[in-house]
Amino acid sequence: MISILNKTHKGWVKEYKFHDKRKWRFDFANPSLKIAVECEGGVWVRGRHNRGKGFLNDMDKYNEAAIMGWRVLRYPPDKMMGVVDDISRMITE
């Protein structure tokens, strides 16, 4: 995925720690653009991201990211390839 993301714009990294005090990481991030991509697994099997505590923790993470100026794109695993078009639109708009 990193090689695909770097075709849109250089500087993408995997498991980027974006917060100094929390252990929060983005699945993929471009720090210079402040764009992050999260792959949200377990959508149909009641995984961590869609059960109570995990869902609330994700809200804290994404709200803090927004406060810090990050734009976060979230996808289920089967839609991750759509990220390229979305990022291209974000960069050009």
Side-chain angles (χ1 to χ4, degrees):
M1 180 56 66
I2 289 292
S3 61
I4 293 169
L5 289 169
N6 277 318
K7 288 180 183 177
T8 64
H9 193 278
K10 299 289 183 209
W12 288 92
V13 294
K14 188 174 180 177
E15 294 295 321
Y16 179 76
K17 185 178 178 194
F18 74 96
H19 198 277
D20 290 337
K21 295 184 172 101
R22 301 288 301 261
K23 293 182 181 179
W24 288 324
R25 296 179 187 274
F26 292 129
D27 293 333
F28 304 98
N30 189 310
S32 65
L33 296 174
K34 281 201 147 180
I35 297 174
V37 176
E38 290 281 275
C39 181
E40 304 288 1
V43 175
W44 301 110
V45 294
R46 300 218 8 101
R48 187 197 75 75
H49 294 285
N50 57 13
R51 287 187 299 210
K53 184 165 174 45
F55 190 77
L56 293 173
N57 289 344
D58 283 350
M59 281 189 214
D60 290 340
K61 174 182 173 179
Y62 297 138
N63 288 343
E64 187 65 24
I67 290 166
M68 294 172 67
W70 284 90
R71 294 179 288 172
V72 181
L73 299 172
R74 301 169 60 198
Y75 300 88
D78 63 330
K79 304 286 185 192
M80 281 295 289
M81 293 312 290
V83 71
V84 173
D85 292 335
D86 292 346
I87 290 169
S88 295
R89 285 179 41 219
M90 288 179 92
I91 292 171
T92 58
E93 290 182 7

